[in-house]
């Protein structure tokens, strides 16, 4: 199923922890594809340690390129905070090219937040403490502009949270095979994979259409 988004104009900004938010929402038609003009943001296609996302938001990316190391076949931010595993084309000699790519994505992030309304930040995993820290960092970055924050908790580690316009979906991964291979067609097109992803897509649409409180 591909959702009809003609009359719904959210600006969805994935926050990680990996590429799952952007990929699933694109697969279900909720986010446009890049060739249709959808911008790429810094959290879309890297794997982040959970505290690193909050730290990055709090420091407004000022330390984002510190401690970059090349490990085997892709770059990481040491010590094991960010894995740039989608950017394997950038080899050890291409450090500045990687920095240029993510500088562009950071600028997309900043400009979008400054210029657009109806912002929805979308995050996978997370615990209460980290969600609250991220929420407060987003309030600073958006200069208290209204936004919605949707979290998919696949580990059942969040408790009830009392923050404005924050919504949590607790949803267990369908099985270990999907969990470890969710980006492969065999698994995301399986009945279990489709059912799991449809619940995420439905949740996203529900959050988009909710009134602000």
């Amino acid at each position: 199923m591909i959702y009809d988004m003609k009359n719904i104009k959210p600006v969805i900004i994935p926050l990680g922890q990996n590429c799952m938010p952007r990929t699933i929402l694109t697969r279900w038609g909720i986010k446009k594809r890049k060739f249709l003009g959808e911008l790429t943001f810094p959290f879309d296609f890297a794997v982040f340690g959970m505290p690193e996302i909050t730290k990055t938001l709090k420091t407004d990316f000022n330390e984002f390129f510190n401690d970059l190391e090349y490990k085997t076949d892709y770059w990481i931010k040491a010590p094991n905070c960010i894995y740039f595993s989608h950017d394997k084309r950038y080899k050890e000699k291409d450090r500045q090219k990687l920095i240029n790519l993510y500088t562009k994505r950071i600028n997309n992030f900043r400009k979008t937040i400054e210029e657009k309304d109806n912002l929805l930040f979308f995050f996978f995993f997370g615990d209460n403490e980290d969600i609250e820290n991220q929420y407060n960092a987003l309030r600073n970055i958006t200069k208290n502009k209204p936004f919605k924050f949707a979290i998919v908790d696949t580990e059942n580690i969040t408790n009830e949270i009392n923050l404005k316009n924050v919504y949590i979906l607790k949803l267990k991964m369908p099985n270990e095979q999907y969990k470890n291979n969710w980006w492969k067609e065999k698994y995301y097109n399986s009945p279990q994979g489709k059912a799991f992803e449809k619940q995420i897509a439905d949740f996203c649409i529900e959050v988009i259409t909710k009134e602000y409180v």
Side-chain angles (χ1 to χ4, degrees):
M1 176 180 178
I2 301 296
Y3 286 77
D4 182 0
M5 301 296 288
K6 290 179 182 177
N7 298 317
I8 304 175
K9 304 296 182 185
V11 179
I12 302 173
I13 302 178
L15 291 182
Q17 289 180 267
N18 55 25
C19 61
M20 206 173 195
R22 172 148 184 164
T23 301
I24 290 178
L25 297 184
T26 299
R27 194 143 62 209
W28 287 77
I30 295 172
K31 273 183 76 70
K32 291 188 298 185
R33 296 187 180 275
K34 185 177 180 181
F35 73 86
L36 293 174
E38 190 76 357
L39 295 175
T40 302
F41 300 116
F43 301 103
D44 286 9
F45 294 119
V47 180
F48 288 79
M50 194 182 299
E52 188 67 18
I53 299 171
T54 304
K55 178 183 175 183
T56 297
L57 293 172
K58 282 185 172 179
T59 60
D60 192 22
F61 298 91
N62 288 329
E63 301 175 17
F64 192 76
F65 300 115
N66 292 358
D67 304 315
L68 287 178
E69 294 182 8
Y70 189 76
K71 294 288 187 180
T72 310
D73 61 349
Y74 59 84
W75 288 89
I76 70 167
K77 178 178 168 68
N80 303 326
C81 293
I82 307 175
Y83 298 82
F84 297 96
S85 50
H86 275 263
D87 300 297
K88 292 184 178 181
R89 64 191 181 279
Y90 296 110
K91 305 303 181 184
E92 190 167 9
K93 62 183 175 59
D94 298 321
R95 183 179 187 274
Q96 190 57 49
K97 290 182 180 179
L98 181 76
I99 291 174
N100 293 344
L101 174 70
Y102 274 84
T103 298
K104 182 178 179 180
R105 293 176 177 179
I106 290 166
N107 289 337
N108 289 342
F109 181 89
R110 289 171 171 159
K111 186 175 181 180
T112 297
I113 289 173
E114 180 181 349
E115 296 182 355
K116 301 293 185 180
D117 295 314
N118 200 16
L119 299 171
L120 169 60
F121 296 96
F122 205 87
F123 180 62
F124 266 62
F125 317 116
D127 57 28
N128 279 55
E129 181 180 0
D130 196 69
I131 288 168
E132 291 182 17
N133 287 335
Q134 284 189 34
Y135 177 82
N136 290 327
L138 290 170
R139 286 187 64 190
N140 289 332
I141 288 173
T142 59
K143 298 180 172 58
N144 289 320
K145 178 189 294 187
F147 65 85
K148 295 173 185 175
F149 191 11
I151 299 104
V152 177
D153 173 11
T154 61
E155 304 294 333
N156 195 28
I157 57 176
T158 55
N159 300 313
E160 184 176 350
I161 197 161
N162 186 28
L163 296 171
K164 281 187 176 182
N165 304 307
V166 174
Y167 305 94
I168 297 174
L169 172 67
K170 291 192 176 188
L171 183 63
K172 188 177 180 181
M173 292 277 188
N175 50 56
E176 284 297 313
Q177 290 79 12
Y178 175 89
K179 180 178 180 179
N180 296 325
N181 301 277
W182 63 269
W183 59 91
K184 297 180 180 179
E185 186 174 3
K186 174 182 177 181
Y187 296 97
Y188 69 71
N189 266 342
S190 69
Q192 298 90 344
K194 287 181 177 179
F196 174 78
E197 294 190 8
K198 185 179 186 303
Q199 289 182 77
I200 294 169
D202 287 344
F203 168 65
C204 188
I205 293 294
E206 180 184 352
V207 171
I208 288 168
T209 54
K210 281 181 180 291
E211 297 291 330
Y212 282 102
V213 295

